[in-house]
Amino acid sequence: MVLTTTSIRESEESLHCTFASRYVQEPLPKFKIPKKSMPKEAAFQIVNDELMLDGNPRLNLASFVSTWMEPECDKLIMASINKNYVDMDEYPVTTELQNRCVNMLAHLFHAPVGDDETAVGVGTVGSSEAIMLAGLAFKRKWQAKRKAEGKPFDKPNIVTGANVQVCWEKFARYFEVELKEVKLKEGYYVMDPAKAVEMVDENTICVAAILGSTLTGEFEDVKLLNELLTKKNKETGWDTPIHVDAASGGFIAPFLWPDLEWDFRLPLVKSINVSGHKYGLVYAGVGWVIWRSKEDLPDELVFHINYLGSDQPTFTLNFSKGSYQIIAQYYQLIRLGFEVITEITLNTTLCFFKSEQQLPGLYYLI
Ligand SMILES: Cc1ncc(COP(=O)(O)O)c(C=O)c1O
């Protein structure tokens, strides 16, 4: 092993790097900034050697995140690695590429965008941020409606399956929304739409369905959910909407099952998130959230920054972030096109089937 760690006291632990010792003699404190600088070669050697103990990303199938891109795209990434996305006046072309991606995805998900209209959506760090933003939009819309009706608006809830990814629990805890989970049962590991609709009440800000459950890859039946919820909305006078967490399935279903109705073709689906860094084939750090229309994103959540001169509307949790992920996403979409994305998707989804035993419309990613 190249690196050894000497533990004197926890706070005084230091690194001894064998190969870097041609440049440096002193051990490197582990938890304190070293007093002196060191040659760049030594810094590289030390960090590089320690990183050898990490796994090999190309062998990492956890979290379904892309670990390889073409060298041409790597070149674009290196050329834009120092661009701060939020400086939109400095990097208007990057902003434009983001807008193009948003529109491409909105069309892919059948958003009702007229020829002379632009789609409503934003690039995020991943599906987690996208879900926080979508959830906030639902919470604000619900609160505004309740306030206007003179009804209490302090106990919002969201209905999901118990199979939701942890980001939904984060959303619920961070933004003070009760998470009402439909229990799973032996042999049935996704949200049952009928049970979900039963759990909806006047405080439900939305029902979140998953297209590609993290546990099994199974698609939830969004079409049936839309039907049942439409019926309940009619009976009660509520207008509970649906969000689709298509973190994985958003880049699968449109290519493998274009006729499967899970997206904005269903009237109650008001927003959809997808991870660009999963089956969108980009390295970690990009997700997307698309709204059905302007009306579904409350104005009060959009901030207008004029940091560098012109007015730039933003709706993100962070201010500064990298640009390369957006550029890489645009590269993948135009480079591969519908045809090759479909081929890659077929190859990467090891097997898929429609189960006759389950509710109709259940599809699987893996
Ligand atoms: C269904 C689902 N939603 C959300 C997420 C979170 O996505 P991200 O890692 O892009 O934040 C995941 C990640 O595995 C997921 O599977």
Side-chain angles (χ1 to χ4, degrees):
M1 200 163 57
V2 178
L3 284 173
T4 52
T5 304
T6 313
S7 177
I8 305 162
R9 268 191 304 140
E10 184 74 352
S11 64
E12 283 170 14
E13 264 189 33
S14 50
L15 293 173
H16 297 261
C17 182
T18 309
F19 296 150
S21 60
R22 70 190 64 189
Y23 310 108
V24 283
Q25 263 73 51
E26 307 224 327
L28 186 67
K30 222 175 183 182
F31 302 119
K32 289 180 187 161
I33 298 176
K35 279 201 183 70
K36 290 191 179 155
S37 70
M38 69 174 78
K40 59 187 187 305
E41 296 83 356
F44 174 82
Q45 188 84 59
I46 289 170
V47 179
N48 191 50
D49 289 354
E50 195 162 16
L51 283 173
M52 283 176 172
L53 299 176
D54 263 354
N56 177 349
R58 295 274 289 281
L59 302 177
N60 175 15
L61 302 180
S63 66
F64 338 120
V65 167
S66 301
T67 54
W68 184 85
M69 297 189 77
E70 290 172 328
E72 287 74 11
C73 192
D74 286 350
K75 257 195 229 168
L76 286 173
I77 289 172
M78 284 316 293
S80 54
I81 199 125
N82 51 359
K83 285 187 183 173
N84 185 358
Y85 180 76
V86 84
D87 297 337
M88 296 179 214
D89 285 333
E90 292 284 352
Y91 309 122
V93 179
T94 304
T95 307
E96 165 63 14
L97 298 190
Q98 182 213 233
N99 293 340
R100 286 185 204 168
C101 290
V102 164
N103 278 274
M104 287 180 187
L105 293 175
H107 286 290
L108 186 69
F109 299 157
H110 301 95
V113 182
D115 286 343
D116 53 348
E117 282 178 318
T118 50
V120 185
V122 69
T124 58
V125 176
S127 275
S128 303
E129 186 192 4
I131 283 165
M132 306 289 155
L133 300 177
L136 267 174
F138 284 120
K139 183 177 170 188
R140 285 302 159 90
K141 275 210 84 171
W142 172 84
Q143 282 178 325
K145 185 165 178 265
R146 298 281 293 177
K147 273 185 209 171
E149 292 169 350
K151 293 181 178 159
F153 52 89
D154 58 340
K155 290 199 165 49
N157 70 61
I158 193 161
V159 174
T160 68
N163 52 318
V164 279
Q165 213 259 0
V166 65
C167 63
W168 285 97
E169 288 163 36
K170 277 191 188 175
F171 166 73
R173 207 178 298 172
Y174 293 172
F175 295 102
E176 297 179 328
V177 174
E178 184 198 351
L179 192 65
K180 290 171 65 170
E181 292 182 338
V182 179
K183 288 204 168 58
L184 310 181
K185 58 178 190 236
E186 186 70 38
Y188 191 84
Y189 304 112
V190 288
M191 178 178 74
D192 177 342
K195 294 222 167 81
V197 173
E198 260 172 44
M199 287 167 75
V200 168
D201 60 32
E202 60 179 347
N203 293 323
T204 304
I205 63 171
C206 82
V207 180
I210 312 177
L211 206 76
S213 171
T214 318
L215 308 178
T216 59
E218 194 171 335
F219 286 7
E220 290 178 349
D221 192 341
V222 193
K223 193 172 180 195
L224 178 61
L225 176 66
N226 182 79
E227 267 166 42
L228 299 174
L229 199 51
T230 305
K231 197 160 162 267
K232 180 150 185 173
N233 282 345
K234 243 186 217 149
E235 286 162 10
T236 55
W238 305 331
D239 54 3
T240 312
I242 297 173
H243 174 88
V244 184
D245 175 359
S248 298
F251 271 112
I252 299 280
F255 300 97
L256 295 193
W257 300 288
D259 295 331
L260 180 71
E261 290 176 48
W262 62 274
D263 54 15
F264 295 118
R265 282 168 287 185
L266 305 173
L268 290 182
V269 174
K270 303 297 182 189
S271 50
I272 296 174
N273 68 277
V274 62
S275 296
H277 53 213
K278 292 191 168 76
Y279 296 90
L281 305 172
V282 177
Y283 297 136
V286 62
W288 301 93
V289 53
I290 310 290
W291 282 273
R292 180 183 197 83
S293 68
K294 278 195 189 68
E295 291 69 51
D296 298 302
L297 175 58
D299 272 345
E300 62 188 283
L301 291 177
V302 179
F303 282 81
H304 293 264
I305 49 171
N306 53 8
Y307 202 56
L308 294 175
S310 72
D311 174 64
Q312 295 287 357
T314 76
F315 181 32
T316 50
L317 295 183
N318 226 62
F319 186 70
S320 300
K321 68 169 182 175
S323 291
Y324 80 78
Q325 295 90 340
I326 303 275
I327 293 166
Q329 181 77 79
Y330 183 70
Y331 171 92
Q332 288 293 51
L333 294 174
I334 62 157
R335 151 81 176 128
L336 303 172
F338 211 91
E339 189 184 31
V340 177
I341 298 178
T342 307
E343 281 165 18
I344 293 174
T345 309
L346 265 173
N347 288 339
T348 49
T349 48
L350 304 176
C351 67
F352 59 91
F353 57 91
K354 185 174 174 182
S355 165
E356 297 304 328
Q357 292 84 42
Q358 310 259 358
L359 285 171
L362 287 182
Y363 292 76
Y364 297 78
L365 289 177
I366 46 177

